[in-house]
Amino acid sequence: MNDDILILGIESSCDETAASVTRNGREVLSNIISSQIPLHTLYGGVVPEIASRKHVEKIVPVIREALSAAEVTLQDIDAVAVTYGPGLVGALLVGVSAAKGLAYAAKKPLVAVHHIEGHVAANYLEHPDLEPPFGCLVVSGGHTHLVEVMDYGKFSIIGRTRDDAAGEAFDKVARAIGLGYPGGPKIDKKAKEGDSSAISFPKASVDGAFYDFSFSGLKSAVLNYLNHAKMQGQEVNDADLAASFQKAVVDVLTEKSAALIRERGYKKFAIAGGVASNSSLRMSMQEACGRLGAKFYSPSPIYCTDNAAMIACAGYYEYLGGARAELNLNAVPNVKLGER
Ligand code: KG4
Ligand code: ZN
């Protein structure tokens, strides 16, 4: 009798069609990601209708590949876990429909996973010692949250962005200096050639809500800087601008995380989401955690950006906790963390 629990995870909330099989939550047997980035680059950002159509094309081959790379069949799987939100509704629906079809056909339980819960769970994949409770900074293209992970699948939100997400700010600034989509990795690279103290950008905070974030002011400051330079006929050093902008974002994220670690006395602190693959943020958070006596956790970059291994991992803990979705599960594009 084999007591291992195999979860098939499916993710299609934005521009990656992904499927993965994990064993007992944390062991990744396969992790297949079909990225649409080259397609959306042509338009400077994700085009929702194109994303949905591409997911439809890719979802079955990607799931097949995830099963075969893991050397299992659908019958070996214990449950199918799928991202049901938040994300682009048409994109989410492709993954949700595929998961429902498979669960029904193979008579397997279906588990609905919140995308952010997945990002947080990415930290479990390579850190066997990491268990809740811990603090976590979630920074992606759509979200910027400071959360306390109280237990598997149980979160308390301490701070969130009031406007743009950190990743969105990276993408918009990259577009403004002609680096293209997706902006995060391009700014990260460009910043390495620049001087982060060349331009002083504002580090916005929200009155009366210390742990909340606001990035729209910073984005406007960058755009104003560019317009002003253009009007004056001055040349802009893109590397200096990228480095200075990135520093403003990283400093705010680190300062608030550090204040939270100090206030709550966390011994463990993790980062998650696409922006968590930023090299400067990783260094800055590592240094802050070290200084404050908290062990720092971060997923490898491949598990920071969207993937299905993180969904299979979060799905495993949901499954153990008894969570089961019905076959009328729907995509919920704006579901909040902690809501069902
Ligand atoms: O988690 P993710 O793949 O998708 C969402 O759930 O949103 O995050 C994508 C975001 C994009 O905004 C992208 O520009 C940003 O993560 N990103 C980065 C880096 N790599 C990806 N931002 C900063 N530095 C990076 N190295
Ligand atoms: Zn994501």
Side-chain angles (χ1 to χ4, degrees):
M1 173 79 188
N2 185 349
D3 291 336
D4 285 343
I5 294 179
L6 298 180
I7 306 284
L8 169 66
I10 299 174
E11 155 66 37
S12 71
S13 66
C14 190
D15 57 351
E16 264 95 27
T17 321
S20 160
V21 178
T22 57
R23 177 159 46 210
N24 302 325
R26 299 183 182 225
E27 190 190 343
V28 181
L29 300 186
S30 65
N31 183 36
I32 308 300
I33 304 171
S34 168
S35 175
Q36 305 176 0
I37 285 176
L39 198 64
H40 298 289
T41 302
L42 293 172
Y43 306 93
V46 177
V47 184
E49 181 58 26
I50 294 178
S52 312
R53 285 166 190 244
K54 211 65 197 166
H55 284 310
V56 170
E57 260 175 50
K58 293 288 181 189
I59 194 85
V60 172
V62 163
I63 292 171
R64 277 215 176 101
E65 203 181 331
L67 290 169
S68 84
E71 298 182 356
V72 298
T73 67
L74 195 52
Q75 282 318 317
D76 301 323
I77 295 291
D78 292 280
V80 181
V82 64
T83 306
Y84 74 106
L88 301 169
V89 67
L92 287 164
L93 273 171
V94 178
V96 167
S97 307
K100 291 201 293 192
L102 290 175
Y104 179 66
K107 300 192 174 55
K108 302 290 177 182
L110 179 68
V111 178
V113 175
H114 190 287
H115 185 73
I116 298 302
E117 184 182 345
H119 274 303
V120 173
N123 277 287
Y124 300 136
L125 296 171
E126 298 161 294
H127 304 296
D129 64 309
L130 180 62
E131 283 181 32
F134 58 93
C136 186
L137 170 72
V138 187
V139 271
S140 72
H143 304 269
T144 306
H145 281 61
L146 267 173
V147 302
E148 179 164 318
V149 183
M150 297 180 297
D151 201 346
Y152 293 107
K154 283 219 175 73
F155 305 92
S156 152
I157 296 170
I158 295 151
R160 56 160 59 87
T161 182
R162 294 294 181 98
D163 39 59
D164 291 352
E168 212 176 334
F170 270 96
D171 293 337
K172 286 177 178 168
V173 167
R175 189 191 300 196
I177 55 174
L179 292 180
Y181 175 84
K186 300 204 164 145
I187 295 230
D188 196 347
K189 191 157 170 243
K190 194 82 187 163
K192 291 194 167 66
E193 305 154 19
D195 172 5
S196 64
S197 61
I199 311 162
S200 165
F201 285 125
K203 287 173 199 153
S205 55
V206 179
D207 280 349
F210 176 77
Y211 290 118
D212 279 357
F213 301 93
S214 167
F215 291 107
S216 70
L218 170 60
K219 177 195 65 192
S220 304
V222 173
L223 297 180
N224 287 343
Y225 179 89
L226 288 170
N227 282 337
H228 185 77
K230 198 171 167 191
M231 278 180 340
Q232 306 282 315
Q234 290 163 352
E235 218 156 290
V236 172
N237 181 323
D238 287 349
D240 284 352
L241 186 131
S244 303
F245 159 76
Q246 178 173 273
K247 181 175 180 348
V249 176
V250 168
D251 282 357
V252 167
L253 295 174
T254 308
E255 273 163 26
K256 294 198 191 288
S257 302
L260 185 65
I261 294 170
R262 218 176 285 117
E263 185 189 299
R264 306 233 169 163
Y266 290 133
K267 290 284 166 250
K268 295 173 272 182
F269 196 86
I271 58 173
V275 183
S277 57
N278 182 270
S279 56
S280 169
L281 178 65
R282 292 167 87 89
M283 267 190 313
S284 169
M285 286 297 304
Q286 169 100 56
E287 188 277 321
C289 286
R291 187 164 28 86
L292 296 166
K295 186 163 178 198
F296 174 64
Y297 294 88
S298 61
S300 293
I302 189 69
Y303 295 128
C304 286
T305 43
D306 289 349
N307 65 88
M310 67 184 198
I311 302 302
C313 179
Y316 167 78
Y317 289 105
E318 290 288 343
Y319 174 80
L320 285 192
R324 302 289 183 269
E326 300 294 326
L327 287 176
N328 64 359
L329 174 70
N330 205 351
V332 189
N334 53 4
V335 61
K336 303 265 184 300
L337 189 62
E339 265 178 13
R340 274 281 148 189

